[in-house]
Amino acid sequence: MICKKKDKPGEGEYNKMEELMVAEKTPTFEVKQKSVTVFAPATVANVVCGFDVLGFAVNAPGDEVVMRVTDKPGITISKITGDNGRLPMDPAKNTVSVSVKHYLESIGRSDLGLDIELHKKMPIGSGLGSSSASTVAGLFAAKTILGDDRDPIALLPFAMKGEEMACGQGHADNVAPALFGGFVLIRSYEPLDVVRLPHPKDLWCAIVFPDVDVPTREARQIIRKKVDMKDAVTQWGNVAGLVSGLFMQDIDLIGRSMKDVLVEPVRSMLIPGFYQMREMSMELGAVSFGISGSGPSVFAFTRDEATAQKITEKLQSFLEGMKIDSFSYVSTINDAGPKVIG
Amino acid sequence: MICKKKDKPGEGEYNKMEELMVAEKTPTFEVKQKSVTVFAPATVANVVCGFDVLGFAVNAPGDEVVMRVTDKPGITISKITGDNGRLPMDPAKNTVSVSVKHYLESIGRSDLGLDIELHKKMPIGSGLGSSSASTVAGLFAAKTILGDDRDPIALLPFAMKGEEMACGQGHADNVAPALFGGFVLIRSYEPLDVVRLPHPKDLWCAIVFPDVDVPTREARQIIRKKVDMKDAVTQWGNVAGLVSGLFMQDIDLIGRSMKDVLVEPVRSMLIPGFYQMREMSMELGAVSFGISGSGPSVFAFTRDEATAQKITEKLQSFLEGMKIDSFSYVSTINDAGPKVIG
């Protein structure tokens, strides 16, 4: 049922990606600039009802990568800040350098020497696509240095390699929105098929990260392997409603579709005060509330900045009452994806 | 999370429906014409990946109801044609009269006398929403006679009453598209929340009904109660892809999203030669192929009428080779819903 490039003219992302991934068509890229600084956005995967298939990018927080061309072939990491020493400096073990290495190999430029400075501007293990933001910033920096002007989708397979290293599975629901900005649907993994979705411009996002430990691998493992068909039907009704709401710019529909009867009931157990935080957020006027990725960060959609601010203040003071440190962010949806900032 | 009418101005179908269903707001309707003839379209529920949440209407086949105001209060059925005597003439047992009765009660017009002639122009038990088409035609006829100019969504609860009688469950994935035309998403049943979806104008539908017996109740009972989370994720990725394709007018995306890993593998066993028919259809250029509702009818989307014609001819001759009688229909998507034709 899959429309192959050779049969039909390409209409969607799928065909574009297939074309970009064909190695023999890849042009040779030459160094266009000696250094660059790139920002890439944090992302909220799942978007409550769309487990493993939906994600969106925010304007804050995000990570920064400074990349410089060096004299010696190979990738080095000279500095990592903001990680409290948690990330590996070894280029063979760091998701950013590994992804960049795969990218350089794919375009026949393994001869190139690149040095990476990674500045973490967001917490690690927060459920906000921390590794994706770093990886996408690194890949976009390399692409920029080489003047590779192909669609960013050409970078997706390499970003996914990084995710595989970081989370044990090559998911795309963080890297794809970090790479493209906006909302992204991963319709299928085999073959990989991503669809960029529109969204209402006046949608605000309040994010609160309670600083408790919920490792992605473990958060995945507690999810049930079998589910009731009845619940699955409820879930895909909501996924379809959310996607429709995004296309229709219907914030009410988006809000009432963002219900998760399958994953949230389990994962929320790892987040202290999850249901109280939902209630507080909804009472303050949130459109919807849920877990970002595998948590422990939570997020709420709102119609304006002031409501988002009120929600983050309320939730942070609630968490403080439970002696839990937290970080918060208020942002609109990021539409640009990674961005050259220096 | 549900936006109540009193809190926010109505933006979606949900709010409109809620408003229309509030009994005290219902105006009194008077007889505006003495008789009417209404056509209502057949429908394809599920649309392969959207089990219980998606459906669309076609221009052919469909059913016709002739309704006349009578002198005596109550509903009578004077004639049913095209059913080979299978449908009850008793107004207390026929889905059309029962639905119309509920509708009249809801608007305080149980005093009215109405006679129904039902002309079945499509096979019964075909998986094409036969009972929905009849019910919607009946309700729309009553609405027209009474000059009830509210949005057709006001009729949905009464049409669902008819479905409950016909199929044992009050599903809306046939009645909603029959009532509105086009593609319809039933996001949720409790509360009932329907969303009308757009579609590419150049989408054709080839339908073939193999005349074998697959009762809806039994076809529902063979569906598994538990499913793998992994398969459920695949399914809602495809549902999201199909909905996106409808909004984006991207027929390739629609085609590659129309895969069902949960229901079709089971239900297809009740349809002789299902996988051969799929292969034939795809080879002839179908965009997608699957079961209509609970079957045994199958349908294919195509980009033009000629391809749809070729597919119906090929499948009918294949079924003939297996000594199975069949009917076929070639149609564009019906956008009008029920229509006054006399």
Side-chain angles (χ1 to χ4, degrees), chain A residues 55-70:
Chain A
F56 67 88
V58 287
N59 284 313
D63 282 346
E64 288 172 25
V65 160
V66 183
M67 192 173 278
R68 293 183 190 86
V69 178
T70 58

Side-chain angles (χ1 to χ4, degrees), chain B residues 8-64:
Chain B
K8 299 240 183 280
E11 279 182 56
E13 299 294 350
Y14 176 68
N15 289 296
K16 210 189 296 171
M17 187 161 43
E18 205 177 43
E19 184 185 328
L20 289 163
M21 283 171 69
V22 175
E24 60 266 31
K25 283 189 186 168
T26 309
T28 308
F29 297 107
E30 300 298 334
V31 171
K32 289 288 188 305
Q33 58 190 86
K34 286 288 184 186
S35 74
V36 71
T37 304
V38 167
F39 162 90
T43 45
V44 172
N46 300 344
V47 201
V48 182
C49 52
F51 178 64
D52 272 0
V53 307
L54 288 173
F56 67 88
V58 288
N59 283 313
D63 282 346
E64 289 173 23

